[in-house]
Amino acid sequence: MRYKSQRIAREYLLAALMLFLLQVVFGILNIAKYIWGYDPLLNVIPFNVSRAIHINLLVFWLLLALMGATYYMVADELKTEIYSAKLGRLQLGILLLSGVAAIVGYLFQWNFGMPFLEQPTVIKLAIVVAALIFLANIGLTMFKNHHTLTRMTATLLGGMVMLAVMFLFGIPFMDNLSTQYYYWWWVIHLWVEGAWELIAASLVGWALIKVTGVSRRRIEGWVFAEVCLVLLTGIIGTGHHYYWIGTPHYWLWWGAIFSAAEPIPILMMLVDTVRHMLGARTLRSVNTLGLAWLGASAFVHFMGAGVWGFGQTLPQINRWTHGTQITASHGHFAFWGAYGMLAIALMYVILPELSGRDTEHGGKVGFTAFVSLNFSMIFMVMALLIAGIIQVYFQRVMGMEYLQVQSYMRMWYAVVLVAGSIFFVGTVLVLSDLLRLSRPIRTAEHVSEPEPETVPGD
Amino acid sequence: MLWTHKILWIATLVSAFAFLGMTVDSLHRMSASTHADQLSAQVIEGKRVWQHYDCNDCHTILGIGAYYAPDVTKSYSQRGAPWLRKFLENPAAMYPSGRQMPNFHLSSAQIDSLVAYLGWVSRIDTNGWPPSPEGVTPAEDAQRAAGGELAGSKIYLAQGCNACHTIQGSGGTIAPDLTHVGSRRNKSWILAQINDPRRINAQSVMPSFAQLPESAKQQLVDYLDSLK
């Protein structure tokens, strides 16, 4: 750590980890409800409430992780303190309070009623305030240091501005359901396949420079090209959500062509990451777990978002798979690879730097967490995929009744529950490992001297 | 800036503007494809009820949402308003076993709005989604329709009878198996049971389907009677 204000990153990242654990708990509750018809919590936490909490926590912990990492990265890149650490803490406080209010509200049917955007309007406005504080804080830090602004930080800011602007389209109530969904996708799709990709690409670029020692010039050129291609394919690619929602027929063409190209930049990111990782072999000291999570994230991002997404993006296939568990399989795989794993990778890069702890040899707990989380996620995704294929065949092709087909899918839901339980264990392990790495070392415990570059203002 | 980067940047901006242009055009066309002129105050109120109870985090609508409960896009055209009303009054009456929907104790005004909303949704032009099942070939379809059996079996499925009853191993198990019901009961008995299930057995949990049109009841009776 070079700058005091970077400490707020630790608070963001640890809060994110706690919410991640809670998200997994609600995920297990959800799959249990799928398996057993009798639900003792039917009138306390019905499925819609536990699902709303599960997906809200997902967005929430990822946003906290990306924002925390942004605070750390911007200070690191621009070699400066953040404009105001106090504002950063105020923002975190508003976000956490809004999150608690939203979750408690859902239990009492205080709900806007659109998936992912269930937060009542008052809470959405509080989130907007927090986002404005964040943008002001990061923007002013950059403005004060505009002469040292890097392309990576500019891309990051661009992503954050896009994220905030797109959120606004999720706030109003629209009379027409099709119009409501038209704009709903501007939040959901243009977040995960637009704004978040910008943020992720710049944070990955920055983290790769840190853990592989690759030159900035090489990384920056690639990040720019990747980001442009993400937007070029992703913006009109929104059209693959406009096939069946009351929208014009031409989206079947535009959505198919552009979304089919969406895996290209993701593949570029994978190739790029692997190239740079190979370069890390020459380094004297390697942040093994940070590197492992970064590399695995690039691969699972490509598989989950690229391959799984491409698999059902063409209208001829999507017509049958739309609205089935195949989408759930894709959602879990893509979110985990593109953002969940990235968030954990960033934690493995940032938290030890903040605490000054050694990362060279990883540790048994960290590796067990890495293996159990990733393998159980693959099992979960496969089980959901098989359940989805059963659903498409019996329900869509054969025309069987929904609930009857669900009974055929039960065995695969049970596999999801087993995989989810292993995933829960992995989450506890990664949490404990990262908590250990984030504890600041007392001076007496110092193993090595701080590196010479830790002098502020160099 | 490299020339390749410049081209990429310009192409990206062009695609963003193209997307905005297509949005303007789409929204214009969508007022016809969604019958926006039929968005009455009751339909809009129905959308509010739908969102207030967060129905979309169990059900999909237009294929979007959670996968815990059936898609409701065509529920109005498949089930009809009376069935939907009855179900919303007390979901457990229609699906007494297995996965349950909570009883939200909706007022009759809320139920009317929600049903009107689902009616409006079922008329949205969805470019042919959801696709028709391919389990029945057009030839079989025509043949069975001529015999009248298909119409009755469609009503049987649309009314959700198979949630409780089984025919040839397919369906629920809490109510009597109907595979050979035609050899056990005559038409008038079946019709009486459909109209008032508690007439014969006061403890029956089966809801009455007396609200169905007489012609539909007759087709249903013919179908069940054919199961020998």
Side-chain angles (χ1 to χ4, degrees), chain A residues 235-427:
Chain A
I235 294 177
I236 299 183
T238 314
H240 70 168
H241 299 297
Y242 294 160
Y243 295 160
W244 326 116
I245 64 166
T247 27
H249 192 268
Y250 57 68
W251 283 113
L252 269 68
W253 284 98
W254 290 102
I257 293 166
F258 277 78
S259 67
E262 278 186 60
I264 296 171
I266 308 177
L267 181 63
M268 278 173 67
M269 288 180 198
L270 173 62
V271 172
D272 195 25
T273 308
V274 172
R275 265 184 344 140
H276 298 318
M277 282 177 68
L278 294 176
R281 285 182 304 187
T282 55
L283 287 185
R284 209 156 39 87
S285 145
V286 178
N287 178 347
T288 333
L289 276 169
L291 201 60
W293 278 104
L294 267 181
S297 162
F299 177 68
V300 179
H301 182 184
F302 175 67
M303 289 302 294
V307 178
W308 253 236
F310 181 79
Q312 55 166 335
T313 199
L314 298 179
Q316 295 86 338
I317 296 169
N318 191 269
R319 186 162 174 255
W320 299 96
T321 61
H322 179 57
T324 65
Q325 293 291 4
I326 292 182
T327 314
S329 173
H330 162 56
H332 280 81
F333 213 9
F335 256 116
W336 173 243
Y339 302 114
M341 295 173 76
L342 170 66
I344 295 173
L346 291 169
M347 289 174 188
Y348 269 106
V349 173
I350 293 171
L351 290 173
E353 275 205 1
L354 278 167
S355 65
R357 282 186 187 267
D358 176 32
T359 54
E360 192 165 357
H361 302 296
K364 262 190 189 160
V365 178
F367 275 105
T368 315
F370 177 81
V371 172
S372 54
L373 282 169
N374 288 315
F375 274 89
S376 59
M377 178 53 88
I378 287 170
F379 270 107
M380 206 185 303
V381 162
M382 291 300 173
L384 283 173
L385 180 69
I386 296 172
I389 292 170
I390 293 172
Q391 189 176 16
V392 168
Y393 183 73
F394 286 107
Q395 191 184 318
R396 290 277 156 76
V397 180
M398 301 299 293
M400 276 189 188
E401 208 250 350
Y402 173 89
L403 276 178
Q404 192 181 351
V405 178
Q406 289 293 308
S407 68
Y408 301 160
M409 296 152 72
R410 262 179 84 185
M411 191 183 95
W412 298 102
Y413 290 145
V415 175
V416 175
L417 178 65
V418 173
S421 306
I422 301 171
F423 193 86
F424 173 77
V425 174
T427 311

Side-chain angles (χ1 to χ4, degrees), chain A residues 134-347:
Chain A
F134 177 70
L135 289 179
N137 210 1
I138 294 291
L140 284 169
T141 311
M142 290 188 183
F143 184 71
K144 280 177 70 182
N145 297 278
H146 55 91
H147 44 280
T148 50
L149 200 66
T150 59
R151 269 172 142 184
M152 220 101 81
T153 43
T155 308
L156 182 62
L157 182 67
M160 288 293 182
V161 170
M162 185 177 170
L163 180 131
V165 170
M166 289 305 153
F167 184 65
L168 301 177
F169 291 96
I171 298 179
F173 174 91
M174 294 169 202
D175 295 344
N176 189 324
L177 177 74
S178 296
T179 318
Q180 181 100 51
Y181 266 133
Y182 193 94
Y183 287 115
W184 183 81
W185 284 117
W186 284 29
V187 190
I188 309 304
H189 175 89
L190 289 176
W191 263 19
V192 294
E193 276 145 281
W196 288 33
E197 290 275 11
L198 261 66
I199 296 162
S202 43
L203 287 171
V204 167
W206 167 79
L208 278 174
I209 296 176
K210 287 231 151 234
V211 295
T212 67
V214 68
S215 83
R216 171 175 294 275
R217 269 193 57 193
R218 281 181 57 189
I219 292 244
E220 282 194 334
W222 272 84
V223 166
F224 185 85
E226 284 158 6
V227 158
C228 278
L229 278 175
V230 161
L231 292 175
L232 182 58
T233 56
I235 294 177
I236 299 183
T238 314
H240 70 168
H241 299 297
Y242 294 160
Y243 295 160
W244 326 116
I245 64 166
T247 27
H249 192 268
Y250 57 68
W251 283 113
L252 269 68
W253 284 98
W254 290 102
I257 293 166
F258 277 78
S259 67
E262 278 186 60
I264 296 171
I266 308 177
L267 181 63
M268 278 173 67
M269 288 180 198
L270 173 62
V271 172
D272 195 25
T273 308
V274 172
R275 265 184 344 140
H276 298 318
M277 282 177 68
L278 294 176
R281 285 182 304 187
T282 55
L283 287 185
R284 209 156 39 87
S285 145
V286 178
N287 178 347
T288 333
L289 276 169
L291 201 60
W293 278 104
L294 267 181
S297 162
F299 177 68
V300 179
H301 182 184
F302 175 67
M303 289 302 294
V307 178
W308 253 236
F310 181 79
Q312 55 166 335
T313 199
L314 298 179
Q316 295 86 338
I317 296 169
N318 191 269
R319 186 162 174 255
W320 299 96
T321 61
H322 179 57
T324 65
Q325 293 291 4
I326 292 182
T327 314
S329 173
H330 162 56
H332 280 81
F333 213 9
F335 256 116
W336 173 243
Y339 302 114
M341 295 173 76
L342 170 66
I344 295 173
L346 291 169
M347 289 174 188

Side-chain angles (χ1 to χ4, degrees), chain B residues 10 12 22 27 36 53 57 66 71 81 83 92 96 122 124 143 159 173 180 184-185 204 217 219:
Chain B
I10 291 168
T12 304
M22 286 153 97
L27 293 174
Y53 291 99
D57 267 321
D71 187 84
W83 190 96
S122 72
I124 296 177
Q143 198 183 357
Q159 294 299 318
T173 51
H180 304 293
R184 292 199 310 269
R185 307 289 186 192
S204 172
K217 275 190 268 188
Q219 284 168 329

Side-chain angles (χ1 to χ4, degrees), chain B residues 130-142:
Chain B
S132 313
E134 292 184 344
V136 182
T137 64
E140 278 178 307
D141 209 18

